[in-house]
Amino acid sequence: MSDVSIELLKSGATLASVALAAGIGFFFYFRQKEYELTKQRYLDQGLDVVAAALDSALGVVSHNYARSLQLCRQYRDLGSHFQVKELERGFLELDNSKFQQTAHYRVGSLLGDQVVWEIFQSALAYAASANALIAQEIPDAMRILASEPEGSRDLKTTADTMISELRFRHDEGFKFALLSRELHALVD
């Protein structure tokens, strides 16, 4: 073999090595890119959105529970000195209009089951029902009862009944904490 042939073989081997290295680099680059896109779509735009919506709804219920509990205690302890104006302040609005359907579709695709969607709907139904009692019905009852004459009502019994009902309704929401915990575990 001539020197030119040997040099051509060496340069061809070098070019083949560079092309192989570039091919392997592109393969791993696109594989990483696909992983990042999948992570963004299913985790950031799926599980995280669903978990945030669930946590937000349950958080509003918990906040309103604490406020209503405080008002019941004031009603019981202050009697005729209870300020009815307090019933109009401190409650958060519950926005149940966002079902996050796209995020649930992604989560369902990821899990191969719609169990998260079904439990999420139950959680939102619970939140709407509990929040109506906590932020509207109980304050309305206190407003009506506060307008009655002082001797015609038993403040302690009435307030304790309302507090008991508030606790019962609030504690029902803890069953949805498992869903929230599992969604965060899936993200991790």
Side-chain angles (χ1 to χ4, degrees):
M1 268 193 169
S2 71
D3 288 336
V4 173
S5 299
I6 292 175
E7 287 302 317
L8 284 174
L9 282 174
K10 285 182 183 178
S11 59
T14 302
L15 284 175
S17 298
V18 168
L20 180 63
I24 291 172
F26 278 128
F27 171 77
F28 284 111
Y29 169 78
F30 286 115
R31 186 171 172 189
Q32 180 66 27
K33 190 71 169 167
E34 181 181 354
Y35 164 76
E36 290 170 5
L37 287 172
T38 302
K39 179 181 176 269
Q40 179 185 13
R41 173 173 284 143
Y42 289 102
L43 296 182
D44 300 340
Q45 297 172 355
L47 291 170
D48 282 343
V49 170
V50 171
L54 177 67
D55 291 344
S56 175
L58 295 177
V60 167
V61 172
S62 288
H63 171 84
N64 289 344
Y65 161 74
R67 177 65 180 143
S68 195
L69 197 60
Q70 179 186 37
L71 290 170
C72 285
R73 288 182 178 145
Q74 286 178 3
Y75 172 79
R76 177 189 64 201
D77 298 340
L78 298 177
S80 62
H81 301 293
F82 177 70
Q83 297 294 318
V84 178
K85 293 186 306 189
E86 287 293 315
L87 296 169
E88 298 169 12
R89 295 196 302 234
F91 291 105
L92 297 178
E93 287 292 321
L94 178 65
D95 181 14
N96 267 352
S97 65
K98 297 179 181 129
F99 286 99
Q100 309 298 347
Q101 291 172 323
T102 303
H104 279 287
Y105 176 76
R106 289 179 176 151
V107 171
S109 296
L110 180 65
L111 299 177
D113 194 345
Q114 293 299 319
V115 66
V116 173
W117 171 246
E118 292 164 6
I119 297 172
F120 183 82
Q121 286 181 338
S122 295
L124 288 186
Y126 155 77
S129 172
N131 195 60
L133 173 82
I134 291 168
Q136 294 166 355
E137 293 176 27
I138 294 225
D140 285 346
M142 282 189 277
R143 186 176 292 108
I144 291 167
L145 291 170
S147 68
E148 293 180 0
E150 184 70 31
S152 66
R153 55 194 160 111
D154 182 4
L155 293 174
K156 182 175 179 0
T157 303
T158 305
D160 288 345
T161 302
M162 286 189 262
I163 289 170
S164 175
E165 182 63 24
L166 283 170
R167 283 191 178 131
F168 174 75
R169 292 302 291 244
H170 182 254
D171 291 350
E172 277 185 309
F174 291 129
K175 65 184 173 188
F176 299 109
L178 177 62
L179 174 62
S180 179
R181 190 169 47 248
E182 290 303 317
L183 288 172
H184 289 292
L186 281 172
V187 170
D188 289 341

